[in-house]
Amino acid sequence: MPVLPAGADPMRVLHISDLHLTPGQQDKVAWVRSLAETEPHLVVNTGDNLAHPASLPVLLRALSPLLDTPGVFTLGSNDYFAPQLRNPARYLLPDSRTPGSHEAAPDLPGRELRAALIERGWADLANARAVLDVDGRRVSVVGAADAHMDLDEVPPARAVDRPDDAVAHLGVTHAPYQRVLEAFRADGVDLTLAGHTHGGQLCLPVWGALTTNCDLDTRRAKGLHGWPGARPDEDPGSMWLHVSAGLGTNPYTPVRFFCRPEATLLTLVPR
């Protein structure tokens, strides 16, 4: 993706999302560990890592080979609240959320996960900003907490948050609701990374995704796009948007159809 200043060396960004990990998924753990072989310069985790109260040690083992690499994260609702058995047809509604489903005390170790990632040096971007040293270069980042729980509040920018020598300005969110994307675009973000959609999870041949589980249009359910228009190399008014189809599913609906699980290595290159 042409994001960096002219003459800059390429920068590899590994985007991981929606593992929905349970303790028995050892093949998934091994595969995530193998992603260190891609040698990313930056790791971005866009949330929904957990799916079981005992998943935290398993998740940290999966991420361990990547935790010495500069990283950022923002957590999703399923890092705090366990998945529930529900009618899959609800996802086709304009708003699939179950009223009151997140009002009880969290039953997944999201707070412990947050603390463990911060301890290893990754930046928490829940309604926060950071400036990172990535491969000897500075990258500015802005994040939003989970918009699916209406927790998003993009913080105002200060001069210190956007140093003149930053080679890129990234946005990170779990759920790519339009209000968050518009806030990031107004902030001058070059590239936004998001998850949450599972790429539609149950897709139709040729047609693609039926739902995104948010107000993002289905043609942007996964992959690399421009927002709100065409890609920025075709429309200067747009920003880059990458939506990960994610690695997991709700354990009550462990099925994907015409929608492979994925992690993505994005290579940023000069404009």
Side-chain angles (χ1 to χ4, degrees):
M1 300 185 329
V3 168
L4 303 179
D9 291 332
M11 179 181 294
R12 295 184 299 279
V13 178
L14 178 64
H15 184 189
I16 300 174
S17 195
D18 296 272
L19 276 76
H20 292 281
L21 192 63
T22 60
Q25 293 175 327
Q26 294 303 315
D27 287 347
K28 186 189 294 185
V29 169
W31 192 82
V32 172
R33 289 177 62 86
S34 75
L35 295 174
E37 298 171 8
T38 66
E39 298 184 344
H41 297 118
L42 174 67
V43 181
V44 177
N45 182 310
T46 48
D48 274 9
N49 295 276
L50 306 173
H52 188 279
S55 290
L56 181 57
V58 184
L59 173 67
L60 294 178
R61 180 175 179 272
L63 295 177
S64 178
L66 296 165
L67 290 175
D68 290 328
T69 300
V72 297
F73 68 94
T74 185
L75 301 183
S77 61
N78 285 145
D79 290 306
Y80 295 99
F81 299 93
Q84 299 176 349
L85 180 63
R86 60 189 305 185
N87 184 347
R90 282 197 62 88
Y91 289 105
L92 299 176
L93 297 175
D95 188 343
S96 68
R97 292 174 290 188
T98 303
S101 62
H102 298 138
E103 294 178 359
D107 52 3
L108 293 181
R111 293 186 179 90
E112 293 84 351
L113 169 59
R114 175 180 179 272
L117 295 180
I118 291 174
E119 183 179 6
R120 291 298 299 269
W122 282 16
D124 178 13
L125 292 178
N127 300 333
R129 294 176 181 268
V131 178
L132 308 176
D133 183 342
V134 179
D135 190 36
R137 295 168 283 179
R138 295 219 281 180
V139 174
S140 57
V141 197
V142 59
D146 188 6
H148 198 59
M149 293 196 294
D150 295 322
L151 297 177
D152 54 298
E153 186 175 344
V154 177
R158 304 168 298 164
V160 69
D161 299 317
R162 295 287 302 275
D164 293 338
D165 62 348
V167 298
H169 183 42
L170 307 182
V172 177
T173 183
H174 172 64
Y177 278 81
Q178 294 185 26
R179 63 180 184 268
V180 177
L181 301 182
E182 279 302 300
F184 283 171
R185 187 169 70 102
D187 201 71
V189 162
D190 299 306
L191 162 66
T192 289
L193 300 105
H196 177 71
T197 67
H198 295 190
Q201 188 169 325
L202 301 177
C203 300
L204 297 180
V206 182
W207 182 272
L210 299 176
T211 179
T212 62
N213 198 21
C214 63
D215 64 0
L216 186 69
D217 56 286
T218 53
R219 68 186 180 92
R220 293 184 174 96
K222 62 179 179 180
L224 185 62
H225 307 277
W227 175 267
R231 293 159 42 129
D233 49 0
E234 302 170 355
D235 179 358
S238 290
M239 70 176 176
W240 290 102
L241 170 64
H242 182 261
V243 181
S244 174
L247 279 164
T249 66
N250 182 319
Y252 295 108
T253 54
V255 178
R256 284 179 178 260
F257 189 70
F258 278 88
C259 185
R260 289 176 179 269
E262 67 181 21
T264 310
L265 187 69
L266 305 169
T267 301
L268 311 188
V269 298
R271 294 185 181 92

